Amino acid sequence: ITSPVAFDMLPLKLHSFSKSTPTGLDCVGCKRRISAPVITDGGLDKTALTDDVGSEEDLYEDFRSSTHRYGHPGGGGEQLAINELISDGSVVYAEALWDHVTMDDQELGFKAGDVIEVMDATNKEWWWGRILDSEGWFPASFVRLRVNQDEPMEDYPLKVEGGREEDSRRFGMGQTTKDQMRTNVINEIISTERDYIKHLKDICEGYIKQCRKRADMFTEEQLKTIFGNIEDIYRCQKKFVKALEKKFNKDHPHLSEVGSCFLEYQTEFQIYSEYCNNHPNACLELSRLAKVNKYVYFFEACRLLQKMIDISLDGFLLTPVQKICKYPLQLAELLKYTNPQHRDFKDVEAALNAMKNVARLINERKRRLENIDKIAQWQSSIEDWEGEDVLVRSSELIYSGELAKISHPQAKSQQRMFFLFDHQLVCCKKDLLRRDILYYKSRISMDDMEILDVEDGKDKDFNISVKNAFKLHCRDTEEVHLFCAKKPEQKQRWLKAFENERRQVQLDQETGFSITEVQKKQAMLNASKQHHAGKPKAVTRPYYEFLLRQKHPTLPSTLPQQQVFMLAEPKRKPSNFWQNISRLTPFRK
C-alpha cells in the first residue's frame, strides 16, 4: 500500500514513510489497485467550498466541455519530488524493509536495514540506486525513504571486507544527536497528522457534501458504500490531533510525550475496521460509476472546486487504509530514537504494541467478514436445509470432517459429515450416488456442551465397544452424543478443534466482534441469487480479479516475490476453510 506523501510545492519538503509497502491488511495478500500515490497538499491555503450554485454549474459545464479524462493517474508527485531533490544535488536515502535477492546483474541486491542512495525514481515501481560501488534497479515497494535525510550513517553500519563494520561517514552527512533524530520524528508525526486532517476534510466537504446535494444522482445507501464511515474517522482524528498538539513541546520537541495519546485512542481507532472492510465495495461502486460520464464529470468538478490535487476519488479514499498501517511504522521509528530513560519511552513502547494489535484486529475482522460470503454460499449448496441460517449464530468454520455418530436407543452407527462453526456443529449426509451432494440432517448447539474424551473399549452409556471416540454432553439436558473417528489422529484433530471453537467464541466476546444483520442478509441474498442463476457454486471475487488486472511494471520485466508485511498481519495458521470444503466439492454440483 502506498503511504501518503505530504509535500509543499515551494519549497519541496519530503516527509517520511512515503514509499509503497506491502501490507497484510487485506488478509489474502492481494494487491490493491492504486490510481496514484496518495498525496496530501498541506502547503496551500485552500478556501472553503462555496454554495454558489451558479459558479458550480459554470465549472461543471466547463469541465464537461473539456478534454480532461477522469481517473488520470496524475500525481506521480512522489517521483517528481524525489527526482527534483536529486536534480538539485541533494542526496536521497532509502532504507530497505526487506531482503531483495536477485541474480540479475541489472538489479541491486540488498538486505533489510541496508541504506540505499536513490539516484532515479522516475519509474513508479522500480528505482535506480547505489550501495557502495554497486548500482542497479530495485523494487520501490521494498524500501521507504528515511525520516531523517541528515541522519548520521553510523546508525546504519555497512559491511566491508573482513566482516567488520565501518561507519559510513564518507557520505558526508552531518553529525546529529539522538535527540535531534527524535525531534525530526515527532515533527513528522505532527505534520502528517495535520495533513491527514486536511485530507479528510477535503473528502467530507469536497465530495460528500456535494453528493448529498444531488439526490437525483446518489442515494444515501450509495454514499455509505462509497465513503463508508469516513466522517466518523474525521471526527475521531480531529480529537486525536488536538490531543497530540497538547502533548507537543514546541520549544523542545524531543521532550514531547505523545505515546499516551496513541494509548488513549487505541480503542477508537478500531472504527477503521469498518472502513477497511467496506473499501473493496467502494472501489467496485466507483468502478461502476466511472462508466457513466455524468459521474465522471461530477467527481472531477468536486475535486476542482475543493482545489484538491490531481488524484481520482478512489485514490483519495485509500488514504485511511494506509494511515492505520502507518502508525506502527511511525511509532517504531519514534521508539528507535527514544532513550530508555525518557519519560515517554514506556508509553511509546506500549503504543507501538497497541497499534500493531489494532492492525491485527482490523485484519482479522476483514478476514471474518470475507468468510461470511463463503459460508452463505456453502449453505446454499446444502440440500433440504431446515431452520435458521448458519450466519444467524456463526461466522467462522473451525473444522470439518467425517465421523460415525452413535445414536440411542439402538446404538445405531451412521456415517455423517460434520461442520464445526463457532456456536454450532452442523450434521450432513452424503448422497448415495453423487458423493459431492450433501443433505442437511441436524445441528448441535455448542454453547452448553462439554467435550468428553472416551477411552477405547466398552462404553457404559451406550453399552457398545468404541474406538477413537469422544462425547458431547449437554450440561442442561444431560443429552449425550457419541462420535467415533476412523483414526486416532483424526480424533485428536476434532478435540483440538472443539478447544479452538470455545477460544474463538471467547475472543469474539472480548473484542466485541459481531456481524450486522444487514451484512448477514446481504451475504445470503448474494448466495441465493447465484444459486438461482444456475452459476457454478464457486466463490467469485470480482474485487480481487479487478485488482489483479492492473499493469505490472515494465522495467525490469518481472517483479520479485514480495514478502508479506507482518506489521498488519496476525500470526496465525492459514485458514483451512477451503481445504475442508474441497474434500466435498459441493460447489461443483
Side-chain angles (χ1 to χ4, degrees), residues 454-466:
V454 178
E455 295 182 359
D456 293 348
K458 191 168 184 178
D459 181 74
K460 60 180 182 179
D461 293 332
F462 287 78
N463 198 29
I464 58 171
S465 295
V466 295

Side-chain angles (χ1 to χ4, degrees), residues 43-149:
L44 298 177
D45 182 20
K46 299 182 179 58
T47 59
L49 188 64
T50 66
D51 292 332
D52 187 345
V53 178
S55 61
E56 180 181 345
E57 290 178 349
D58 292 341
L59 176 60
Y60 186 77
E61 289 303 318
D62 290 342
F63 177 73
R64 289 192 59 176
S65 61
S66 73
T67 58
H68 185 84
R69 186 174 73 86
Y70 170 77
H72 184 272
E78 182 173 12
Q79 286 81 3
L80 176 65
I82 297 170
N83 279 308
E84 190 154 339
L85 285 173
I86 294 172
S87 64
D88 288 343
S90 301
V91 181
V92 177
Y93 291 100
E95 182 180 352
L97 296 172
W98 300 276
D99 295 349
H100 179 222
V101 181
T102 179
M103 298 183 68
D104 189 336
D105 57 5
Q106 290 293 311
E107 293 184 28
L108 182 66
F110 48 75
K111 293 184 178 181
D114 285 353
V115 175
I116 303 145
E117 180 184 352
V118 181
M119 304 175 69
D120 184 1
T122 305
N123 186 274
K124 182 178 179 180
E125 302 289 349
W126 290 84
W127 292 353
W128 184 268
R130 176 170 60 198
I131 300 179
L132 295 179
D133 298 326
S134 300
E135 294 186 13
W137 296 103
F138 62 93
S141 58
F142 275 43
V143 303
R144 67 168 174 79
L145 295 179
R146 284 171 52 180
V147 177
N148 303 289
Q149 288 293 331

Side-chain angles (χ1 to χ4, degrees), residues 3 7 25 51 71 136 202 209 215 227 241 249 261 286 305 314 344 363 393 494 503 511 518 524-526 530 580:
S3 298
F7 65 94
L25 190 60
D51 292 332
D202 284 344
K209 183 178 179 180
F227 298 101
V241 76
N249 189 325
C261 297
L286 287 174
L305 279 169
D314 58 343
D344 200 26
N363 242 329
R393 302 187 62 203
W494 274 104
R503 191 178 299 115
T511 60
V518 173
M524 294 306 302
L525 180 61
N526 293 341
Q530 185 172 335
N580 295 333

Side-chain angles (χ1 to χ4, degrees), residues 156-176:
Y156 295 88
L158 300 174
K159 297 290 182 180
V160 296
E161 292 183 5
R164 64 188 181 85
E165 294 182 349
E166 184 178 89
D167 291 345
S168 53
R169 295 186 181 121
R170 67 180 183 81
F171 283 95
M173 306 190 73
Q175 295 295 314
T176 318

